[in-house]
């Protein structure tokens, strides 16, 4: 089985670099694809716009979704993912700075598989990413294709 | 006796008139003549109804003079309101009494007429002012609540947004430390470590600030809480976290209180953690939780035998980011007690502290009551 990609939806360059760095430290062989706003995430997943023609049946193994995104918010992206037959079972992990109760509730209501708050401290952040990887890429049995 | 009666009639401040059984005016006092602007000569002997071109011939007054007084003998504070030609709407309070004449068993009516128009108007004006004031208070309260909410949201958003650049500072400096120490000298490594620990401290400050903002916005409910059990849990958690410390908890049995479970959990955690921290340098630390009566209200207290504080600075104790100890001695952000105060105030309670340097501190709090919320 070829390694599936990890889709990272992240608008902040620093956070993007740090997340990719953390994945590298965890020796993940999966390619990390980064999209920088909600609209691009939608285009990628549904093969439209900039990703016209992409094979949409090739779903990411996991999607790491930030909530505060330009154009289309993370929650809206999540809603569209769950509405569409092709992506409704896609594992989505909300990875955000927010610990606002309303965001957590809303994410789960919309069908997030997990909610992880990004720690400020990089050692803790890298550890969070390592555990995420271990659980979602190794331990967890993903939905059948 | 007649002189005596007449002098009373003349002295009374309110218009007073004596009517005979035929409702003719026998005599009136000067105040009566002044108020109704009539001359004694033209008044005495007149029928009361004929006064002022018959304007006093009101159905209510007829009822009073012809039925109530003859049968009941008296009437108190009988209200007559009428639009009188020349002076406009007036409101009169009438008090009257039937007096039997011993000599011939006839009777007279003593009628006191008080013009309460101005008083009424003043009372109405006061009521109107009160209503306006109430509306204005409601408007201002709503504005205040709205701006407080806005401020909370702002505070939340700012502290939230501050985390992202901070993560970059922390992340990249830690990467530098991890990978690039061979090409840095000792001073360079030292500086980087300072950057890391400063960013960690700032992260803690932001988290505490977020908690402060959350406490202000959280929904509150009041239930009966087993404070003794909550205190035991908080104490046990501290003992587990730091098992090498020797700390004795003295927690009074059977303490209950009315409050929000989550918020009061935070109060106990903050006060116990403070006590735990500031007894850190005592070989035999004692932390007490109990209740003492204060003006009939139960006041709870958390007491320790730790570092204490100088009462001169007690006013600074509950301010956000205010600290009475250096970070070197006792680390902290200075938010804990601000949170405690905020929670207690949301419960309509009060919180206060006593301390002696080197001997310990006591924090007292009350929980107020639901009716006042």
């Amino acid at each position: 089985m070829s390694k599936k990609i990890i889709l990272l939806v992240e608008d902040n360059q620093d956070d993007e670099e740090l997340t990719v760095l953390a994945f590298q430290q965890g020796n993940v062989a999966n390619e990390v694809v980064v999209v920088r706003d909600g609209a691009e995430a939608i285009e990628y997943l549904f093969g439209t716009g900039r990703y016209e023609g992409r094979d949409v049946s090739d779903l990411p193994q996991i999607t790491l979704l930030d909530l505060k995104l330009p154009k289309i918010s993370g929650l809206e992206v999540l809603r569209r993912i769950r509405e569409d037959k092709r992506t409704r079972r896609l594992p989505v992990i909300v990875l955000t700075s927010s610990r606002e109760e309303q965001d957590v509730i809303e994410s789960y209501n919309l069908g997030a598989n997990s909610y992880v708050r990004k720690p400020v401290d990089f050692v803790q952040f890298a550890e969070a990413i390592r555990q995420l990887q271990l659980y979602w890429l190794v331990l967890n049995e993903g939905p059948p294709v | 006796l007649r002189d005596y009666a007449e002098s009373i009639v003349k002295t009374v401040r309110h218009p007073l008139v004596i009517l005979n059984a035929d409702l003719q005016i026998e005599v009136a006092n000067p105040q009566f003549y002044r108020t109704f602007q009539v001359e004694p000569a033209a008044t005495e002997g007149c029928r009361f109804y004929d006064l002022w071109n018959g304007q006093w011939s009101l159905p209510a007054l007829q009822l009073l003079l012809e039925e109530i007084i003859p049968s009941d003998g008296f009437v108190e504070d009988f209200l007559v309101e009428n639009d009188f030609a020349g002076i406009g709407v007036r409101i009169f309070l009438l008090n009257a009494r039937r007096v039997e004449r011993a000599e011939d068993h006839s009777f007279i009516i003593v009628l006191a007429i008080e013009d309460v128009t101005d008083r009424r108007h003043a009372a109405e004006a006061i009521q109107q002012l009160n209503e306006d004031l109430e509306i204005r208070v409601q408007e201002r309260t709503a504005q205040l609540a709205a701006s407080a909410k806005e401020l909370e949201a702002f505070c939340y958003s700012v502290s939230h947004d501050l985390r992202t650049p901070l993560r970059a500072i922390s992340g990249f400096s830690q990467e530098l430390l991890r990978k690039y120490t061979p090409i840095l000298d000792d001073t360079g490594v030292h500086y980087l470590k300072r950057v890391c620990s400063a960013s960690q401290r700032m992260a803690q400050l932001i988290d505490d600030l977020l908690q402060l903002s959350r406490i202000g916005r959280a929904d509150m409910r009041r239930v009966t809480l087993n404070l003794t059990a909550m205190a035991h849990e908080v104490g046990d958690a501290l003992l587990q976290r730091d098992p090498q410390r020797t700390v004795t908890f003295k927690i009074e049995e059977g303490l209950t209180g009315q409050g929000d479970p989550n918020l009061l959990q935070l109060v106990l955690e903050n006060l116990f953690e403070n006590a735990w921290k500031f007894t850190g340098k005592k070989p035999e630390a004692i932390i007490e939780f109990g209740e003492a009566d204060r003006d009939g209200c139960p006041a709870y207290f958390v007491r320790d035998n730790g570092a204490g504080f100088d009462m001169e600075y007690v006013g600074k104790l509950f301010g956000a980011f205010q600290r009475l100890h250096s970070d070197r001695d006792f680390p902290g952000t200075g938010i804990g007690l601000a949170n405690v105060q905020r929670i207690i105030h949301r419960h309509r309670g009060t919180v206060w502290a006593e301390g002696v340097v080197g001997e310990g501190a006591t924090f007292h709090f009350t929980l107020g009551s639901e009716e006042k919320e």
Side-chain angles (χ1 to χ4, degrees):
Chain A
M1 190 180 101
S2 67
K3 288 276 182 198
K4 290 185 133 198
I5 68 122
I6 296 167
L7 182 65
L8 174 64
V9 190
E10 174 62 76
D11 68 308
N12 184 285
Q13 270 193 21
D14 290 333
D15 273 357
E16 171 194 329
E17 203 174 320
L18 288 171
T19 309
V20 171
L21 194 64
F23 271 116
Q24 283 166 1
Q25 286 180 15
N27 299 318
V28 163
N30 303 55
E31 183 197 354
V32 179
V33 172
V34 183
V35 290
R36 288 175 184 84
D37 60 53
E40 194 182 346
I42 300 283
E43 287 173 9
Y44 181 88
L45 287 169
F46 300 118
T48 57
R50 280 162 279 188
Y51 296 92
E52 186 79 57
R54 197 187 79 82
D55 176 11
V56 293
S57 68
D58 183 20
L59 282 177
Q61 188 158 0
I62 53 171
T63 295
L64 301 175
L65 181 64
D66 194 7
L67 290 184
K68 271 185 127 180
L69 293 169
K71 297 179 194 169
I72 299 175
S73 78
L75 289 173
E76 178 60 21
V77 171
L78 180 56
R79 196 180 62 74
R80 297 208 200 166
I81 286 174
R82 289 298 177 249
E83 267 177 10
D84 196 289
K85 263 190 188 146
R86 295 167 291 179
T87 50
R88 70 155 60 125
R89 285 190 283 266
L90 174 70
V92 176
I93 296 138
V94 173
L95 184 65
T96 176
S97 288
S98 165
R99 206 165 56 187
E100 181 77 332
E101 197 180 18
Q102 205 48 47
D103 285 341
V104 182
I105 291 170
E106 202 50 30
S107 296
Y108 280 115
N109 282 349
L110 288 170
N113 296 83
S114 183
Y115 191 104
V116 177
R117 189 189 183 218
K118 294 176 198 169
V120 166
D121 183 78
F122 183 68
V123 175
Q124 290 171 29
F125 182 68
E127 175 60 18
I129 293 292
R130 194 187 67 78
Q131 291 191 22
L132 265 182
Q133 255 171 283
L134 183 69
Y135 181 81
W136 286 103
L137 301 179
V138 181
L139 199 59
N140 183 59
E141 199 69 56
V145 184
Chain B
L1 192 68
R2 197 182 166 84
D3 288 349
Y4 177 65
E6 271 182 14
S7 64
I8 291 178
V9 169
K10 283 183 179 159
T11 313
V12 172
R13 265 180 62 228
H14 301 303
L16 203 67
V17 62
I18 314 289
L19 307 175
N20 64 21
D22 296 325
L23 305 181
Q24 288 166 323
I25 295 165
E26 294 221 329
V27 69
N29 67 353
Q31 191 60 36
F32 180 89
Y33 297 121
R34 244 198 317 275
T35 305
F36 297 104
Q37 292 169 355
V38 284
E39 293 298 321
T43 307
E44 284 168 21
C46 267
R47 270 170 58 86
F48 187 66
Y49 298 146
D50 296 336
L51 272 177
W52 275 9
N53 301 323
Q55 284 200 73
W56 275 100
S57 181
L58 303 166
L61 202 62
Q62 284 176 8
L63 180 77
L64 175 79
L65 294 174
E66 291 166 26
E67 290 179 31
I68 302 177
I69 303 219
S71 62
D72 294 354
F74 72 97
V75 69
E76 283 181 350
D77 294 341
F78 185 91
L79 194 91
V80 173
E81 184 172 355
N82 192 43
D83 191 353
F84 294 99
I87 56 167
V89 177
R90 304 306 289 180
I91 303 160
F92 294 105
L93 265 190
L94 306 187
N95 282 271
R97 194 161 288 272
R98 192 181 60 176
V99 182
E100 301 283 344
R101 272 184 170 139
E103 57 267 32
D104 56 2
H105 298 292
S106 67
F107 64 86
I108 56 163
I109 294 169
V110 182
L111 177 63
I113 304 163
E114 186 185 356
D115 184 346
V116 295
T117 314
D118 293 344
R119 210 201 298 161
R120 268 302 176 87
H121 287 166
E124 280 166 14
I126 288 173
Q127 198 187 346
Q128 187 60 49
L129 282 174
N130 276 336
E131 281 167 15
D132 290 352
L133 194 63
E134 181 61 30
I135 290 167
R136 226 171 331 162
V137 167
Q138 280 172 7
E139 281 171 3
R140 295 277 155 86
T141 310
Q143 282 170 5
L144 195 65
S147 49
K149 215 169 179 173
E150 213 169 281
L151 197 65
E152 299 285 2
F154 174 76
C155 175
Y156 176 78
S157 158
V158 164
S159 31
H160 185 271
D161 289 350
L162 285 175
R163 289 173 60 88
T164 305
L166 193 56
R167 189 162 39 247
I169 296 170
S170 158
F172 293 121
S173 52
Q174 273 168 11
E175 262 313 278
L176 275 176
L177 268 182
R178 197 176 66 86
K179 274 206 208 143
Y180 298 87
T181 33
I183 56 166
L184 285 170
D185 63 9
D186 287 351
T187 312
V189 170
H190 169 74
Y191 289 161
L192 266 180
K193 282 184 174 161
R194 296 294 283 265
V195 172
C196 284
S197 69
S199 58
Q200 262 162 33
R201 181 165 165 73
M202 187 161 163
Q204 189 58 51
L205 281 167
I206 291 172
D207 277 353
D208 288 352
L209 204 58
L210 276 171
Q211 195 184 51
L212 192 67
S213 137
R214 258 201 297 275
I215 285 168
R217 290 176 301 148
D219 289 332
M220 221 183 86
R221 64 196 172 105
R222 248 183 218 274
V223 293
T224 303
L225 299 169
N226 182 344
L227 294 175
T228 296
M230 285 169 73
H232 276 295
E233 270 176 39
V234 172
D236 289 347
L238 287 168
L239 285 168
Q240 271 184 11
R241 199 175 71 184
D242 215 349
Q244 62 272 45
R245 287 272 312 266
T246 308
V247 178
T248 307
F249 282 100
K250 292 182 178 170
I251 295 167
E252 198 175 313
E253 287 305 314
L255 293 186
T256 58
Q258 296 284 322
D260 182 90
N262 295 330
L263 293 180
L264 282 190
Q265 176 79 20
L266 274 177
V267 166
L268 290 181
E269 278 174 10
N270 270 302
L271 292 179
F272 273 55
E273 272 174 28
N274 258 0
W276 184 271
K277 178 163 71 185
F278 291 110
T279 52
K281 293 174 182 171
K282 294 269 171 172
E284 299 281 332
I286 299 168
I287 298 173
E288 285 176 77
F289 178 56
E291 183 189 315
D293 202 65
R294 196 217 182 202
D295 305 334
C297 260
Y300 310 95
F301 66 85
V302 175
R303 180 177 295 139
D304 66 63
N305 64 341
F309 61 88
D310 187 340
M311 282 301 274
E312 196 184 323
Y313 305 113
V314 71
K316 286 189 157 187
L317 212 54
F318 295 100
F321 299 118
Q322 297 278 2
R323 306 219 51 222
L324 297 189
H325 298 273
S326 77
D327 208 50
R328 209 178 286 257
D329 288 339
F330 297 101
T333 55
I335 284 282
L337 287 176
N339 277 339
V340 167
Q341 187 181 51
R342 214 159 183 205
I343 293 171
I344 296 303
H345 284 176
R346 285 203 66 189
H347 282 81
R348 311 272 162 186
T350 48
V351 58
W352 68 101
E354 290 149 11
V356 178
V357 174
E359 290 181 24
T362 308
F363 289 86
H364 306 263
F365 65 92
T366 62
L367 289 177
S369 61
E370 195 147 20
E371 304 90 70
K372 284 188 270 173
E373 273 164 33

